[in-house]
Amino acid sequence: MKKEYIMGNSAIALGAVSAGISLAAGYPGTPSSEIIETIEKYNNGNIHLEWSVNEKAALEVAAAASYAGARSLVTMKQVGLNVAADPLMSLAYVGVKGGMVIVVADDPGPISSQTEQDTRMFAEFCRIPVFDPSSPEEAFEMIKEAFDFSEKYKTPVLFRPTTRICHAYASVEFDESFSPKPYEGFVKDSKRWVIFPKLSFANHAMIEKRNPEIGNDFSEYSRNTACGKGKKAVFTSGISYAYVKEYLKDRDDVTVCRIATPYPFPEKLVLSALDGVEEVLCIEELSPYIETQIQRVAGIHKLGVSIFGKTTWHIAAAGENSSDSAAKALKAFLGDSAEETGIDLSDIPPLPVRPPVLCAGCPHRASFYAVKQAMKGRKAFFCGDIGCYTLGNAMPLDMVDTCLCMGAGVTMAQGLYHMEKDAVSFAFIGDSTFFASGMTGVVNAVYNEADMILCVLDNSTTAMTGHQPHPGTGKNMMGSFVEKISIPDILKGMGVKRIETVNPFELAKAVDTVKSCAEEKGVKAIIFAAPCIALYKPEKKMCINDNCINCKKCIKEVGCPATVIVNGRVSIDASLCTGCGLCAQVCPVNAIGGEGDE
Amino acid sequence: MNKDILLCGVGGQGTVLASKLIASSAMECGNTVHSAETIGMAQRGGSVTSHVRIGENAFSPLIPMGKADMILAFEPAEAVRNLCYLKKGGVVIVNSVPVKPVTESLHDTGYDGTEMIAYLRKKVDELVVINADEICKSLGSAKIFNVAILGAAVGTGRLGIDAETVLKEIETKVPKKFTEINKRAFFAGKQIGESYAVK
């Protein structure tokens, strides 16, 4: 046995590996990305591991592995499940043979996501079980149990940690000798594996009969717990359970019921926990899922119990909970007196705000700046997308007019073109996002005759989520070097007639290319190719010479973190500068040069 | 032992290594440890925190407000931003050198950290102020402040972890070619921490 201090995501990965998975597939997304990365670290070659092109592909690859009888794991963030919803809804009807766990990391806050959607609701919508761990240690054990339930009921199951579980660290003890669980192989049976209305009808009926039985099974499951006594009860789940424990510690004058499997709801356990209870407080994040389930149970069983939580505004409707918000709600619910342990900060001075920004030397800054310069004085729309380059919205660049979801920039640029033909419509998309969900949008543009300029910001990595490889990088998660899939070749194959590749740091050339593309009809593509600065750090630094007239154009137009004002003068922070030279090309008086340059 | 230590700063300052060294040192001494880090978009120039919770009494990965025994602040405004976590009588070790946000260059508010240090002096009895630029310059590396501030924390005697354990962890966790300079940074910080502890 080996003991290691690891992140929640690593605990989930090691739990799945210990459970004997033969295949794991996912698409990067905060806060889920480290699960696949941990498996890579421990994989002895017996597990097929991949970053799939998107979440839908990952889920389908894994589903087939489970049809063959093998245990499989899928990982994604919550919005990724929207992409994978199509196969999952059908898979819930068809079912699986080998255990299949779909880890979907929710992000209350949201801290780095577009939505505060709740995967527990998705589980109910799909009619499949969902597991909700409360700590990294528990996640390690629970995912193994999730595989067992999956096989017992021949259904895919969801496993839903939240950011604070995924990114928390704890010590986990595990056996290093992993081996995949042996499997039978795919046995042809079209009545089982081919979804048709007849099968869907039969299986839908089976599922509705089965799920209450799973609920009863879950009432006996050791991670669904009720302890304490009294007329008041707290119902909670996930990280909120840890916050409740942090406040109550070992107190037993209140019932604490912790729901580890929100769907199918462990109704028997909840009913016994509600015995003699007059008031209930539900502390959970995202949707009031447990709360509405208790409302339902109380209604069916005509219980005279008051239920407080999100629906009564006792718990915040949006944003994440914390030890402090939970303590405040519990104090009010239990009538406890307030105890002040902190310092009085009523006179706190105003603090500087620190919005996230593109790194110093980031090639995206140069790409955005080139397009902005080329479109000066012209009506133009800039449709953004999901990735580091969403940060192009910040001042002074201000180059993101829309951002909706993965791949939407490509298609939204078309909608704007069809409505306002006097404007130049741009779509900005990163290389990884292009592969994940940008390609079909390009076909749509060519087919439906949109005039637009597609800007592929190709930095040869999936930067925002921690530099994962993708089909354009020439590497995969089995350690193989594979042929790079060329974005220009794809675009050519899809019928894009004009495809340019430029280095965004060659500013004049980049501006000219944009201008010339804007004069042409149809779909044009410009690949702005330069590697992510976090992966490739040049040694060169820029410096400012005596020509500087302190006009601050470099700061006002480019906004690189390395150009700063020191004692009223523009200067370059050498600890941040990467020597990209964009500021030098913007300077009107040639006052910025490379190290040693005059 | 039950101790809650909060580290805060700006993305890229090296708070994560310092928190990992505290966590692994505390575990070496036989403690249960939990911690939580800022990961994702905020890492790019945003405010970051690491919460390290030592002992069996911690359930939440994040320290509740007003409960931290110690704050290690890599930037003056970040110390003030996170002061709500400090308990009465808790220790703050702060770097006096400010990190100006990019927005500061666009709209100059004159932020230079001095107002923050003054506020800390008013509010915190157990305050250790370190100038990271001076300490880095004397050691000839811009990247050792995280270990220096850890040394200061040990030097105050309030961290509950001894120097030998931390030094051993530096040897195992820091790449070989940087161990020596990090050890020197640790001792430089420790000396500063000790001089405050005597007071």
Side-chain angles (χ1 to χ4, degrees), chain B residues 81-160:
Chain B
R81 199 188 306 279
N82 290 286
L83 205 52
C84 53
Y85 286 100
L86 192 73
K87 71 177 186 194
K88 282 177 190 149
V91 180
V92 175
I93 305 178
V94 62
N95 168 23
S96 58
V97 182
V99 176
K100 294 186 183 186
V102 180
T103 47
E104 188 66 24
S105 301
L106 289 170
H107 312 282
D108 196 359
T109 62
Y111 170 68
D112 65 358
T114 49
E115 190 189 0
M116 300 297 152
I117 298 291
Y119 186 75
L120 291 168
R121 288 197 195 284
K122 192 167 86 180
K123 292 285 169 177
V124 183
D125 297 330
E126 310 267 348
L127 181 72
V128 182
V129 182
I130 307 180
N131 184 311
D133 281 356
E134 281 173 14
I135 206 162
C136 288
K137 218 170 163 187
S138 72
L139 290 162
S141 165
K143 296 200 167 129
I144 46 80
F145 180 70
N146 51 0
V147 174
I149 196 171
L150 178 55
V154 171
T156 61
R158 298 283 290 273
L159 191 63

Side-chain angles (χ1 to χ4, degrees), chain A residues 352-506:
Chain A
V353 286
R354 298 191 193 278
V357 288
L358 293 171
C359 301
C362 174
H364 298 334
R365 179 178 290 106
S367 307
F368 282 125
Y369 187 74
V371 176
K372 189 172 182 173
Q373 289 309 106
M375 286 299 108
K376 228 176 186 172
R378 280 191 76 165
K379 185 176 172 184
F381 298 127
F382 308 116
C383 296
D385 222 295
I386 307 289
C388 285
Y389 48 99
T390 317
L391 298 175
N393 76 318
M395 299 303 279
L397 286 172
D398 189 20
M399 281 295 285
V400 179
D401 294 330
T402 68
C403 177
L404 190 66
C405 67
M406 290 281 286
V410 178
T411 22
M412 294 189 83
Q414 299 163 37
L416 286 173
Y417 160 74
H418 293 306
M419 293 302 103
E420 298 191 41
K421 294 201 165 64
D422 58 326
V424 187
S425 275
F426 286 86
F428 293 91
I429 191 165
D431 41 346
S432 187
T433 307
F434 176 81
F435 287 111
S437 53
M439 296 189 291
T440 48
V442 178
V443 175
N444 193 65
V446 173
Y447 173 55
N448 290 304
E449 300 176 287
D451 277 7
M452 65 171 287
I453 301 177
L454 174 76
C455 299
V456 182
L457 307 179
D458 185 358
N459 61 1
S460 303
T461 189
T462 317
M464 178 58 99
T465 48
H467 302 105
Q468 291 80 12
H470 62 65
T473 62
K475 261 188 251 162
N476 67 24
M477 291 302 272
M478 295 304 286
S480 309
F481 288 92
V482 292
E483 197 170 327
K484 289 182 186 178
I485 297 172
S486 151
I487 295 175
D489 287 356
I490 291 174
L491 292 170
K492 193 174 166 216
M494 291 192 302
V496 178
K497 294 284 183 288
R498 180 160 181 198
I499 303 157
E500 302 281 352
T501 299
V502 294
N503 177 350
F505 292 119
E506 290 174 19

Side-chain angles (χ1 to χ4, degrees), chain A residues 328-345:
Chain A
K328 202 175 156 205
L330 284 164
K331 261 181 208 159
F333 179 62
L334 300 171
D336 294 349
S337 57
E339 168 211 14
E340 268 309 319
T341 59
I343 299 166
D344 171 31
L345 299 173

Side-chain angles (χ1 to χ4, degrees), chain A residues 23-25 48 50 52 56-66 72 100:
Chain A
L23 181 144
H48 171 77
E50 65 173 58
S52 304
K56 172 174 148 68
L59 199 136
E60 291 156 350
V61 167
S66 291
S72 70
M100 178 171 176

Side-chain angles (χ1 to χ4, degrees), chain A residues 543-554 568-571 587-592:
Chain A
C543 52
I544 293 180
N545 61 38
D546 296 341
N547 293 347
C548 178
I549 51 168
N550 217 28
C551 69
K552 298 180 189 161
K553 187 181 179 198
C554 51
R569 301 286 305 177
V570 175
S571 76
C587 179
V589 292
N590 288 323
I592 309 175

Side-chain angles (χ1 to χ4, degrees), chain B residues 33-54:
Chain B
V33 182
H34 290 91
S35 59
E37 318 274 0
T38 312
I39 291 169
M41 205 181 236
Q43 282 175 294
R44 285 160 181 76
S47 304
V48 295
T49 57
S50 293
H51 294 238
V52 183
R53 309 203 66 191
I54 304 169

Side-chain angles (χ1 to χ4, degrees), chain B residues 12 15 18 29-30 46 68 75 82 87 93 120 133-134 136-137 144 148 158 162 168 171-173 184 194 196 199:
Chain B
T15 50
C29 303
E75 206 278 340
N82 290 286
K87 71 177 186 194
I93 305 178
L120 291 168
D133 281 356
E134 281 173 14
C136 288
K137 218 170 163 187
I144 46 80
R158 298 283 290 273
D162 60 90
K168 227 173 78 194
E171 272 170 16
T172 54
K173 297 270 181 318
R184 290 205 339 257
E194 278 164 354
Y196 275 85
K199 191 177 75 175

